[in-house]
Amino acid sequence: AERCTDVGYIFLSKLLVLGKPADLKTLPHVTPEGTKRYELRIPAATEQLSRLRLVDGVRDATLFGETIHLLVDDVITPASFPSRVGMAPEDFELREIPPSLEDVFVTLTAAAENERQQPGDTAEQDASSPSAADASPTGIEPEATALSGDDAVKAAPPLQPPRDTGRGSRRTRPRGTTFNGLWAVLVKEFFHIRRQPTTLFFMLVLPVMQTIIFGYAIDTQIENIPMVVFDLDGRQPARELVANFVNTRKFTVMEQAHDDASFQRALTSGRAKVGLRIPPSYTDRMLRAEQVQVQVLIDGSDSQVATTAQSTAQLLGLNLSIEMARAKGETLQVAPARAPSGRSVLPLEMRTRLLYNPDLESAHFFVPGLIGIILQLVTLFLTSFAIVRERELGTLEQLFVTPVGRTGLLFGKLFPYAIVGFFELLAVAVVMIYVFRVPINGNIPLLLVLSMMFMVCSLGLGLLVSTLAKTQLEAIQFAFVIMLPSVLLSGFMFPRSEMPLPIYAVTFGIPVTYYIEILRGIVLRGADLRDLAPSVVGLTLCGTAILGLSLFRFRKRLS
C-alpha cells in the first residue's frame, strides 16, 4: 500500500499545522481565491526580487534557488506580465505552477508573524470566552499537536492572512535594548571559530611561526659579501691581503678567477658582489717601498651592500698602510712608500669602483625587484579569486556538465590573466624607465620571455590557492601566507646571504627569488642567458613543480 508521511510545521515552539503534503497545499490561504502562482526564471534573480514585490498585483515574491515564486492576482497573466515589470518577453521565463511545500511554509510563517505582531485584532473577542482564553498566540489550539492526517488539517483553524498595512510600512519590533542576545551571539561565534581549524591556524599558529622565521631571517647587518679574487701576483703578500679581506668578516671568497673573462662573468652573473684584482707587481712594489694600487670592483645595484663593501675596503687599505708605516719607522728622511714624483704616500691604495649603479640610487635596486612582487601579486590574487568565486557561486561545477573539457576550462580560465599580467609587466617597465630613470641594460626579448615563464609559475600558485581555499576570505589568507615570504625572504629587501642556512635553503623554493635575480641581472648588469642559467633552471624546476601540483589538486578536487 502507498504510504505518505505526515508533515508538521512548528513556529516559535507552536505547531501550526500537521497533515499530508497534498492536503497542506490545498489550504485556502496558500493560494487564495482570485490568485495564481507562477515560477519566474530571470537573470540576477536576487537583485530583481525587491523590485518585483513593488509591482501592482504581486502579493508575494520568494526566492527559491535560481527562480522566484510569485503569488499574483488573476489580473496578471503571462501576456500582461512584461508590460507590468518593464521587461522584454525574451529576458525571462514565466510559467504557472501549483504551490509547493516551501510556498506553504512561507505563507504559514507570514500569517503567524502577522497574527503575533497584531495583538489588538483579538481585543474585540469576548475575554470570558473559553475559546478565546485557551487559544494559542498563533491561533492553533494545543490539541492540534495530538492529531494527524486529514484530522489535523481540519482541526487547524483558518490562519489570518497577512494584513495589508500599505507599502512602505514597517512591522513593529519587540521592545528591548540594543544588547539583547549579546551573550548568545558571543557564544555562537566562539563555537563557530572552534569548528574551523583553518581559522584557528591563521589566528594562533601562523603569526607565531612568521615571527620566529622572519625574526631569525631578517638581518640588516651586512656580512659575508660574496667576493671573487683575481690574483695576478700569487705570492705570500698577495695571499695575506686576501686573508685580511676575509678577516673583516664582511667578505667571503666564493671564487678564484684565473682569467679576466671569468672574473667579469662572476660579477655580471651576480654570483659575486665584489671583485678583488691584485696586480702582478704587488709584491715587488711592496719590497721597493713603492705605492701599489689594488682594484676593488663593487656591484652597486644593491646600495646597502655596495656602501658596506666600499667603506670596508677603504678602511682596510688605510689600516694596512698604517701598519706598514709603523713597521718601517717614522724619520724625517724615511717614508713607508713614495709616489713616482718622490712625495710620501700610503704604501697601499684601495681603488674602489662602483659598477652598474655608480650613484648608489636605491631606485635602481628596489624598482626591478618591485616588478617581480607586483606581477606575482596581480596574477596570484586574480587567478585564485576568480576560481574561488566561481566555486562559491556554483558556476564552476556547472561548467563540468557542459561539453567543455577540463583542460580547455583550465587554460580558458588562466590564459586571460596571463595576458593581463603581460600588459602589467609592460606598464610597470615603462614607469621604471621613464619615471625612475632605470634603463634596461640587457636583452629586452630575453626579459619578456623569462617574465612569461614566471607568470606561468605565478598562475600555478593562484590555481594551487584556489584548490586549498573554499571561500574568497580563505583565498586572501592563503595568498597572504605566500606573499609575505616572497617579499621578505626572496632578496627583494634583505640580502639572502645574511640569512641562517635553514632559511636560506627555504628561499630556493620561492619562485620570485629567481625572477628578482633575473630582473636585476638583465636590467642592471646586462646579464645574458649564460649568466642567468642558474636562476632560469631554478625558476623552471620551481614552476614545473608548482604547476604540476596545482593541476593534480585541481582535477582531484573537482572530479
Side-chain angles (χ1 to χ4, degrees):
E2 182 180 356
R3 301 180 61 185
C4 184
T5 305
D6 292 339
V7 176
Y9 185 50
I10 299 176
F11 178 78
L12 295 178
S13 303
K14 300 294 183 180
L15 179 65
L16 292 184
V17 70
L18 177 67
K20 293 182 172 57
D23 297 328
L24 298 182
K25 296 176 184 179
T26 61
L27 288 175
H29 294 295
V30 174
T31 308
E33 186 177 356
T35 63
K36 294 182 180 179
R37 288 192 176 271
Y38 290 98
E39 181 185 75
L40 175 65
R41 290 185 178 273
I42 188 172
T46 304
E47 302 175 3
Q48 300 288 348
L49 189 62
S50 59
R51 187 170 69 88
L52 289 171
R53 289 173 176 170
L54 300 177
V55 176
D56 291 335
V58 177
R59 296 195 181 187
D60 183 52
T62 307
L63 184 67
F64 289 98
E66 298 180 357
T67 63
I68 298 177
H69 285 196
L70 299 175
L71 177 64
V72 301
D73 295 333
D74 285 339
V75 296
I76 297 181
T77 63
S80 63
F81 187 78
S83 60
R84 288 181 176 268
V85 298
M87 299 181 63
E90 60 270 13
D91 293 337
F92 63 88
E93 178 185 347
L94 185 68
R95 66 183 183 92
E96 187 175 354
I97 59 171
S100 63
L101 279 180
E102 289 82 0
D103 296 323
V104 175
F105 296 153
V106 169
T107 304
L108 295 177
T109 302
E113 287 183 346
N114 180 74
E115 184 176 349
R116 181 174 62 89
Q117 296 175 4
Q118 301 291 337
D121 294 346
T122 60
E124 297 178 357
Q125 296 182 0
D126 185 5
S128 61
S129 173
S131 60
D134 297 337
S136 66
T138 60
I140 304 297
E141 296 182 1
E143 287 79 1
T145 58
L147 301 178
S148 63
D150 298 335
D151 296 335
V153 177
K154 297 177 182 178
L159 296 173
Q160 295 291 335
R163 183 178 297 273
D164 187 6
T165 57
R167 299 190 185 276
S169 62
R170 295 184 178 180
R171 295 178 177 178
T172 58
R173 294 181 179 179
R175 294 181 179 180
T177 65
T178 57
F179 290 97
N180 282 351
L182 174 62
W183 178 252
V185 175
L186 288 176
V187 174
K188 176 255 183 188
E189 287 301 318
F190 277 115
F191 276 103
H192 181 68
I193 293 174
R194 190 185 67 178
R195 289 195 299 266
Q196 288 187 320
T198 304
T199 302
L200 290 175
F201 176 79
F202 281 108
M203 290 174 57
L204 303 177
V205 180
L206 187 61
V208 175
M209 293 175 55
Q210 290 177 334
T211 302
I212 295 174
I213 293 175
F214 297 142
Y216 280 110
I218 298 174
D219 188 0
T220 57
Q221 184 178 359
I222 305 300
E223 293 182 346
N224 301 317
I225 302 173
M227 181 175 66
V228 57
V229 177
F230 187 18
D231 187 1
L232 296 173
D233 184 276
R235 287 173 280 185
Q236 181 64 27
R239 292 194 293 270
E240 290 178 355
L241 176 63
V242 175
N244 287 325
F245 268 88
V246 175
N247 290 337
T248 62
R249 300 181 59 185
K250 298 295 184 182
F251 304 96
T252 179
V253 178
M254 51 80 57
E255 185 176 342
Q256 290 278 355
H258 301 287
D259 57 79
D260 190 70
S262 60
F263 179 70
Q264 294 293 335
R265 179 72 65 178
L267 293 172
T268 57
S269 64
R271 299 194 305 271
K273 300 297 181 182
V274 176
L276 177 63
R277 189 199 302 267
I278 303 176
S281 59
Y282 178 82
T283 303
D284 297 333
R285 296 180 68 88
M286 283 288 183
L287 295 176
R288 294 196 299 265
E290 296 177 356
Q291 187 183 44
V292 59
Q293 291 84 24
V294 176
Q295 186 181 42
V296 181
L297 301 179
I298 301 172
D299 183 354
S301 57
D302 188 344
S303 57
Q304 188 177 7
V305 173
T307 301
T308 302
Q310 185 180 35
S311 59
T312 303
Q314 291 175 346
L315 183 60
L316 177 62
L318 179 61
N319 291 336
L320 291 177
S321 296
I322 293 175
E323 292 180 3
M324 294 177 186
R326 287 176 179 174
K328 295 251 183 209
E330 297 180 358
T331 62
L332 294 177
Q333 291 80 18
V334 178
R338 296 186 182 275
S341 60
R343 63 183 180 87
S344 177
V345 294
L346 293 176
L348 182 62
E349 179 185 6
M350 293 292 180
R351 291 192 171 182
T352 59
R353 178 187 172 190
L354 296 175
L355 304 176
Y356 317 126
N357 184 18
D359 297 329
L360 294 180
E361 295 183 8
S362 58
H364 285 65
F365 175 71
F366 283 107
V367 173
L370 190 60
I371 292 179
I373 298 299
I374 291 175
L375 285 182
Q376 176 166 302
L377 182 68
V378 171
T379 53
L380 173 63
F381 276 78
L382 287 180
T383 306
S384 59
F385 285 5
I387 297 179
V388 172
R389 183 171 61 250
E390 293 271 14
R391 181 180 290 111
E392 283 185 327
L393 297 176
T395 55
L396 188 62
E397 285 76 5
Q398 293 177 4
L399 288 175
F400 286 106
V401 300
T402 65
V404 178
R406 292 181 182 270
T407 304
L409 170 63
L410 180 62
F411 284 97
K413 296 291 293 182
L414 297 185
F415 187 73
Y417 298 106
I419 299 299
V420 172
F422 180 76
F423 283 103
E424 185 72 22
L425 169 65
L426 297 180
V428 293
V430 169
V431 173
M432 177 185 70
I433 295 172
Y434 294 101
V435 177
F436 294 97
R437 306 294 180 184
V438 181
I440 299 178
N441 296 315
N443 191 323
I444 295 179
L446 177 62
L447 176 62
L448 296 179
V449 171
L450 296 181
S451 297
M452 290 304 298
M453 287 181 54
F454 171 72
M455 278 188 282
V456 171
C457 180
S458 187
L459 290 172
L461 278 176
L463 182 61
L464 180 61
V465 169
S466 69
T467 63
L468 297 173
K470 299 179 181 178
T471 64
Q472 294 188 58
L473 178 59
E474 289 186 3
I476 294 176
Q477 293 173 331
F478 280 113
F480 176 77
V481 172
I482 294 175
M483 286 305 303
L484 194 57
S486 298
V487 173
L488 298 180
L489 302 183
S490 63
F492 167 64
M493 298 181 63
F494 307 99
R496 295 168 55 224
S497 59
E498 304 303 317
M499 299 178 184
L501 183 59
I503 300 177
Y504 179 75
V506 171
T507 62
F508 288 98
I510 302 176
V512 75
T513 298
Y514 305 103
Y515 186 56
I516 289 177
E517 289 293 332
I518 292 172
L519 281 169
R520 288 173 176 164
I522 296 177
V523 174
L524 300 178
R525 301 190 298 269
D528 55 18
L529 185 60
R530 179 182 174 184
D531 295 327
L532 302 174
S535 297
V536 173
V537 172
L539 180 61
T540 303
L541 295 176
C542 197
T544 302
I546 291 176
L547 194 60
L549 179 61
S550 303
L551 293 174
F552 173 75
R553 285 192 55 85
F554 183 78
R555 293 176 179 272
K556 183 179 180 180
R557 179 70 175 272
L558 298 177
S559 57

